[in-house]
Amino acid sequence: MTKYSGLRALVVEDEATVAMLIEDMLEDLGFEIVASVASLVEASEVAVNVEIDFAMLDVNIAGDLIFPVANLLSERQIPFLFSTGYGATGLPPRFSRCCVITKPFSQAELLEKIVLALDN
Amino acid sequence: MLDVEELPEAASTSSEFESMLAAPPSALDAIPGAVYICDHRGWLVRYNIEAAELWGQSPPVGENGVQLCGSNRLFLVDGTPLALDDCPMATALRTGDPTRNAEVIMERHDGSRFIALVNIRALRDQSGAIQGAINCFQDITAYRAVAEELRRRNEDLEDFFNNSAVGLHIVNGEGIIVRANEAELSLLGYSADEYVGRHIAEFHADAPVIDDILHRLSSGEKLESYHARLRAKDGSVKHVAITSNGRFEESKLVNTRCFTVDVTDLHEAEAARRESEERLAATYEAATVGIAEANAEGRLLRVNDAICKMLGRSREELLSMTFADYTHPEDIAEDIALYARQISGELGSYVLRKRAIRSDGTTIYLDINSSSVIDASGFRYGVRVIQDVTAAKQLEDRLSASERHFRKLLEALPAAVYTTDAEGHITFFNQAAVAMSGRTPQQGDLWCVTWRLFNADGSPLPHDECPMAVALKEDRTVRGAEAIAERPDGTRVPFIPYPTPLHDADGNLIGAVNMLVDITERKLAENRQKTLIDELNHRVKNTLATVQSLAAQTARHADSADDLYHRLETRLLALSRAHDLLTRRHWEDAPLDSLVREVLLPLSGDASNRIEFNGVRVNVSTRAALNLTMVLNELATNATKYGALSSDAGRVVLSWNVRSQLAATLLELEWQEIGGPPVSPPDRRGLGSRLMKRCIERDLGGELDLVFAATGVTCRISISIPAEAT
């Protein structure tokens, strides 16, 4: 049991293999993966309708930017963590203070960022 | 003059009176002069003819005749009446006092008067008693008039001498000043005491001059306006003109009379005029510009050296010419026409550049500055100041040719170029400058051709602080600056300016040239490169994440380290081959048959000839290509290890087709293993099937149906593709 046991997580990641890794890592930390999606449409649907406590958002999702989903989550005050290959510079000003993790990352790094994202 | 004292005595026995009375009338008449005698009572007793003539009458003689004088009345010389009792005759009779050379006026009966010089002596007997008196008189009216005239003349002369406006002095034979008048004294500022009695040489500034003057005068020469310099009391030197001659007596110089005229002012004015004239003449000749005077017909009246040299003609030659004579035929008419207008007064002056022919036939360029000298009667003569501008003209021509060339060059440059004067006013700009600034610079524009300027960071940049303004204000070349120009239409152009100050031969700042290099393309390229690097970074990071995931997943499901290594290797190599294909296709859509070949053939090794594949020509997106690669790799790996490709008899058929539906175009693939060992479903769903399902269903939104049939594994895949992919 970890401090995040039972927290429901959404994973938005367009690469299946990477998604599998993230899911595994989150599950190891105690999260329950309630959705893992690879498109903006599916992600938006989950962000609006599904009870979740946390989201991992790939910034570039099959060519689309994830920010509309981030907005929806912000409105619901659901904490989230951006994952990207670009680094923090690719974020618009509105999200410049949000937590970002750059791929590839270790489970320890992920935990560190999740702590920041959930405790803020 | 009659001297009565010298009358001879008549007789020793008789008295003078008695002798006179006794003498015959002829005796008295013989006396050269008027004579009359009165007795002691005053009665006129005797007179001679001359007396009667003077009196204008012959009065009776003797007692009860005429008393004291034969004239009608007597006056003093000042005109006051003289009573008879007071007259000299009465005095002589009464007192015996003689009268000598007294003058009285006698009036005749007719009222005419004459001045009489009278000499009266009493006549006494032997005892000394007065018996009578004798008066010898003469008319001295004429003499008196002459004397008066002389006196008056002398007075005039004295007055003339003393009060003359001209200085006068008299010097004696020894050179000593004996007289000097007021004018002379005031001219030199001396009092009479300081001047008179001194030697004249003391007052001359030039000893040789006074020596010469005295020598000439003593030689009898007359001086007329002889120029000398006198020393005044205040130390100043007076220029004088001396007119003098000597007075000689018995060929000995008695004195000299000098008129001294002060010509100092005249002399100074003359000297000034002469100097002015000399200077003018010298200036005229020394001037390096040609100066000529011409009459109304254009004939040259006076020319200086410069113009002679310019035209290679002598003064005499030029003075026999008109200015048209040496003017280039094509330029004569204009000069003549202008000159005529100048002479008529229509033009005050004019300036003309014309060609002239030198005596050697060569052509030179002259700048003519023509004006008139005018007096009350109108035009006197024309003054023409002439400058040889041939060299300047040639230089100008060369320069303008060179400038035209230069401007053409600037025009042709693909970069925006403009120039300014030292104050920053735009003096030239090329078409590229107009194109870049989106406007045509206006008269009076300063510093830059652009509409608006911004710094590279986007903040506004005032024109007077732009790099060109800095270059001009600080007189230095500015490099390394970068700015953004905004056109009136709002579009912006990033550029690099190259402002460079320009200097004349003396190093004075005369302006600047600026080139504005449009770096839009460079900026875009920089951005593209940055995007590319970002994209590359993204892909690398994502790929690493994929590798990380594959490694982690493979490790979880591996039976052994060997198994882990082998499975991870095949997955990575499949991924790598897909990347190779996509890279060759520039990461654009890839033909499906190429993809299948790339992925399956190397993987299957010897078994590759037992894989059949066929399908329609269709392109798949990079994303679909990558996911299909993963799936095919898993299928082939499984078939090689456990399925149809694990035995020599088995084979695989892969076929695909495209089916259009109302909403989408579907790509359907079928993987079928035939003739292999009997298949039993796996006891647990391995990583491979999980991965395949995720790739197709999650990532591509398609469907994957994997069946472990006993006769062989079949896998049906369906994904939607863009309609134009076929």
Side-chain angles (χ1 to χ4, degrees):
Chain A
M1 293 291 281
T2 70
K3 68 184 284 194
Y4 302 117
S5 289
L7 289 184
R8 289 155 300 179
L10 161 67
V11 174
V12 184
E13 167 59 59
D14 65 353
E15 289 216 29
T17 45
V18 180
M20 286 164 67
L21 179 68
I22 293 171
E23 289 164 21
D24 288 349
M25 284 182 174
L26 287 175
E27 282 170 348
D28 286 351
L29 290 171
F31 286 92
E32 178 195 345
I33 307 299
V34 295
S36 177
V37 297
S39 75
L40 205 58
V41 176
E42 294 170 288
S44 298
E45 171 131 4
V46 174
V48 172
N49 298 319
V50 180
E51 282 293 311
I52 51 173
D53 303 302
F54 174 70
M56 280 287 287
L57 306 178
D58 184 10
V59 171
N60 188 327
I61 184 87
D64 296 320
L65 291 173
I66 194 66
F67 304 117
V69 176
N71 282 331
L72 293 171
L73 293 173
S74 292
E75 282 167 24
R76 291 180 64 192
Q77 296 183 319
I78 295 169
F80 54 85
L81 174 60
F82 288 118
S83 70
T84 176
Y86 289 107
T89 52
L91 297 180
R94 175 170 150 73
F95 299 112
S96 62
R97 294 172 60 85
C98 290
C99 289
V100 179
I101 192 162
T102 54
K103 292 186 274 188
F105 48 83
S106 67
Q107 185 149 355
E109 285 173 295
L110 179 62
L111 176 59
E112 208 173 282
K113 296 287 183 178
I114 287 172
V115 168
L116 282 174
L118 289 175
D119 292 1
N120 272 354
Chain B
M1 193 172 293
L2 185 68
D3 192 337
V4 293
E5 296 289 341
E6 288 168 12
L7 277 172
E9 289 184 11
S12 57
T13 53
S14 53
S15 67
E16 287 174 322
F17 182 72
E18 287 158 355
S19 300
M20 293 286 186
L21 287 183
S26 59
L28 280 180
D29 291 339
I31 296 171
V35 177
Y36 74 92
I37 300 166
C38 292
D39 68 11
H40 71 281
R41 286 175 299 173
W43 297 111
L44 177 66
V45 292
R46 293 290 293 273
Y47 61 89
N48 66 1
I49 296 170
E50 215 165 306
E53 282 174 357
L54 286 176
W55 286 332
Q57 63 178 342
S58 299
V61 297
E63 280 187 39
N64 303 317
V66 179
Q67 274 278 314
L68 297 169
C69 185
S71 68
N72 193 31
R73 282 194 296 173
L74 291 173
F75 300 88
L76 291 174
V77 286
D78 64 3
T80 54
L82 179 61
L84 274 178
D85 288 347
D86 296 331
C87 78
M89 178 58 94
T91 304
L93 289 173
R94 195 166 54 246
T95 65
D97 292 342
T99 294
R100 288 191 175 276
N101 294 333
E103 290 178 12
V104 295
I105 293 173
M106 296 184 182
E107 188 183 81
R108 300 187 185 94
H109 275 284
D110 64 4
S112 65
R113 295 180 182 186
F114 66 93
I115 301 169
L117 181 74
V118 298
N119 280 277
I120 299 170
R121 187 166 62 82
L123 299 170
R124 295 169 190 271
D125 62 12
Q126 275 82 5
S127 65
I130 296 172
Q131 291 180 299
I134 183 167
N135 187 347
C136 297
F137 69 97
Q138 54 193 131
D139 180 0
I140 60 163
T141 304
Y143 167 78
R144 272 298 303 258
V146 169
E148 178 62 24
E149 177 64 17
L150 277 174
R151 190 193 57 76
R152 204 173 51 74
R153 281 191 191 173
N154 198 44
E155 271 180 8
D156 283 350
L157 279 172
E158 281 292 315
D159 178 64
F160 174 74
F161 186 91
N162 283 323
N163 300 318
S164 167
V166 176
L168 277 169
H169 68 258
I170 296 172
V171 170
N172 68 14
E174 283 71 50
I176 304 299
I177 299 165
V178 292
R179 277 191 81 174
N181 73 351
E182 273 308 311
E184 176 131 343
L185 292 172
S186 70
L187 165 64
L188 297 176
Y190 297 104
S191 68
D193 291 347
E194 292 165 328
Y195 198 59
V196 176
R198 310 287 291 270
H199 196 280
I200 186 66
E202 291 179 41
F203 300 98
H204 272 261
D206 308 294
V209 170
I210 184 60
D211 286 350
D212 185 53
I213 289 173
L214 292 175
H215 174 73
R216 285 166 185 263
L217 289 174
S218 62
S219 312
E221 200 175 320
K222 197 177 168 198
L223 300 181
E224 289 270 8
S225 295
Y226 187 100
H227 184 255
R229 299 192 306 151
L230 298 182
R231 207 183 299 283
K233 187 177 179 183
D234 64 5
S236 64
V237 168
K238 300 287 184 183
H239 290 267
V240 295
I242 291 171
T243 298
S244 179
N245 59 4
R247 188 158 76 87
F248 293 84
E249 280 178 10
E250 295 169 354
S251 70
K252 185 171 180 293
L253 179 70
V254 177
N255 59 36
T256 62
R257 296 71 57 98
C258 294
F259 291 82
T260 311
V261 178
D262 182 3
V263 294
T264 305
D265 289 350
L266 196 65
H267 181 84
E268 282 171 359
E270 172 67 13
R273 190 189 60 79
R274 199 163 46 236
E275 196 198 333
S276 162
E277 234 171 44
E278 281 168 7
R279 288 174 64 125
L280 194 63
T283 303
Y284 200 91
E285 283 310 325
T288 52
V289 292
I291 304 173
E293 294 167 12
N295 68 9
E297 286 74 49
R299 183 161 301 282
L300 299 172
L301 306 173
R302 186 173 173 183
V303 294
N304 70 351
D305 282 349
I307 189 171
C308 295
K309 211 178 288 174
M310 234 177 252
L311 294 168
R313 296 173 192 270
S314 71
R315 193 178 300 269
E316 293 66 36
E317 192 182 352
L318 283 175
L319 291 180
S320 68
M321 298 170 90
T322 69
F323 60 73
D325 293 339
Y326 59 73
T327 301
H328 189 282
E330 288 172 19
D331 292 344
I332 291 176
E334 188 182 8
D335 200 1
I336 294 285
L338 285 169
Y339 194 63
R341 291 173 66 194
Q342 180 189 314
I343 288 168
S344 74
E346 185 189 338
L347 290 178
S349 64
Y350 66 91
V351 175
L352 172 71
R353 175 166 294 185
K354 71 171 186 182
R355 286 162 292 175
I357 311 291
R358 285 169 54 90
S359 61
D360 62 9
T362 55
T363 299
I364 55 173
Y365 282 86
L366 301 180
D367 270 359
I368 309 294
N369 214 312
S370 177
S371 55
S372 298
V373 172
I374 292 169
D375 62 13
S377 61
F379 176 85
R380 278 187 64 196
Y381 57 89
V383 176
R384 300 169 67 82
V385 176
I386 299 156
Q387 217 164 352
D388 184 351
V389 292
T390 308
K393 174 82 169 70
Q394 284 164 352
L395 186 65
E396 213 170 84
D397 289 348
R398 267 207 304 282
L399 273 181
S400 59
S402 136
E403 190 175 317
R404 274 197 303 278
H405 185 70
F406 183 59
R407 291 201 169 207
K408 269 188 184 168
L409 191 77
L410 291 182
E411 269 301 338
L413 275 182
V417 173
Y418 68 94
T419 60
T420 68
D421 62 16
E423 283 73 47
H425 298 105
I426 290 167
T427 51
F428 169 81
F429 53 87
N430 66 1
Q431 275 309 305
V434 173
M436 183 176 151
S437 53
R439 62 189 285 267
T440 301
Q442 300 301 303
Q443 185 84 28
D445 275 3
L446 277 168
W447 311 121
C448 190
V449 292
T450 55
W451 173 245
R452 285 200 187 114
L453 281 173
F454 297 89
N455 289 304
D457 65 6
S459 59
L461 173 60
H463 272 74
D464 63 357
E465 292 172 19
C466 75
M468 182 66 156
V470 171
L472 280 162
K473 289 174 180 177
E474 299 178 13
D475 191 5
R476 64 182 177 90
T477 297
V478 177
R479 291 290 180 269
E482 203 177 303
I484 299 164
E486 188 178 85
R487 299 186 177 111
D489 67 7
T491 55
R492 292 192 174 195
V493 186
F495 67 92
I496 295 176
Y498 292 86
T500 306
L502 299 172
H503 302 98
D504 64 13
D506 298 326
N508 301 310
L509 181 72
I510 53 166
V513 58
N514 197 2
M515 178 170 73
L516 310 181
V517 175
D518 183 345
I519 55 170
T520 307
E521 284 305 316
R522 203 181 88 183
K523 284 278 166 191
L524 286 177
E526 277 174 15
N527 285 339
R528 269 201 301 273
Q529 191 169 22
K530 187 173 180 300
T531 306
L532 260 177
I533 290 170
D534 283 351
E535 181 60 27
L536 181 65
N537 194 41
H538 180 222
R539 282 176 198 248
V540 167
K541 290 295 181 68
N542 270 346
T543 304
L544 286 174
T546 304
V547 171
Q548 180 194 23
S549 178
L550 286 175
Q553 300 294 326
T554 308
R556 278 186 193 216
H557 296 91
D559 301 329
S560 62
D562 266 358
D563 183 39
L564 163 66
Y565 176 76
H566 182 71
R567 284 178 177 274
L568 184 58
E569 186 186 50
T570 55
R571 285 171 178 151
L572 289 183
L573 289 176
L575 200 59
S576 172
R577 282 191 293 276
H579 276 207
D580 284 345
L581 174 68
L582 291 173
T583 301
R584 280 202 302 277
R585 304 283 306 175
H586 304 288
W587 287 81
E588 286 169 0
D589 291 355
L592 183 55
D593 60 341
S594 303
L595 180 73
V596 169
R597 194 178 296 114
E598 290 283 334
V599 174
L600 295 184
L601 296 188
L603 197 66
S604 317
D606 298 340
S608 59
N609 55 351
R610 283 183 283 132
I611 298 177
E612 293 170 29
F613 50 87
N614 57 76
V616 296
R617 286 180 64 87
V618 62
N619 287 338
V620 293
S621 70
T622 56
R623 186 171 163 77
L626 282 170
N627 281 303
L628 285 173
T629 298
M630 295 303 288
V631 170
L632 293 174
N633 179 60
E634 291 304 321
L635 287 171
T637 302
N638 190 64
T640 305
K641 200 165 184 182
Y642 308 109
L645 299 181
S646 63
S647 74
D648 293 343
R651 57 193 179 91
V652 173
V653 176
L654 175 63
S655 58
W656 63 86
N657 210 341
V658 171
R659 188 159 58 89
S660 287
Q661 290 190 324
L662 283 179
T665 301
L666 288 181
L667 170 61
E668 294 174 327
L669 295 96
E670 188 183 40
W671 171 277
Q672 195 165 17
E673 296 183 21
I674 300 161
V679 173
S680 54
D683 44 359
R684 58 180 170 99
R685 283 185 83 79
L687 172 62
S689 54
R690 186 181 164 208
L691 199 56
M692 288 192 287
K693 209 164 180 61
R694 297 291 295 252
C695 283
I696 299 304
E697 296 187 346
R698 183 181 177 283
D699 287 10
L700 298 181
E703 285 175 18
L704 181 131
D705 183 17
L706 181 62
V707 179
F708 292 91
T711 52
V713 174
T714 60
C715 181
R716 290 189 182 82
I717 298 168
S718 169
I719 56 174
S720 69
I721 57 170
E724 68 271 15
T726 50

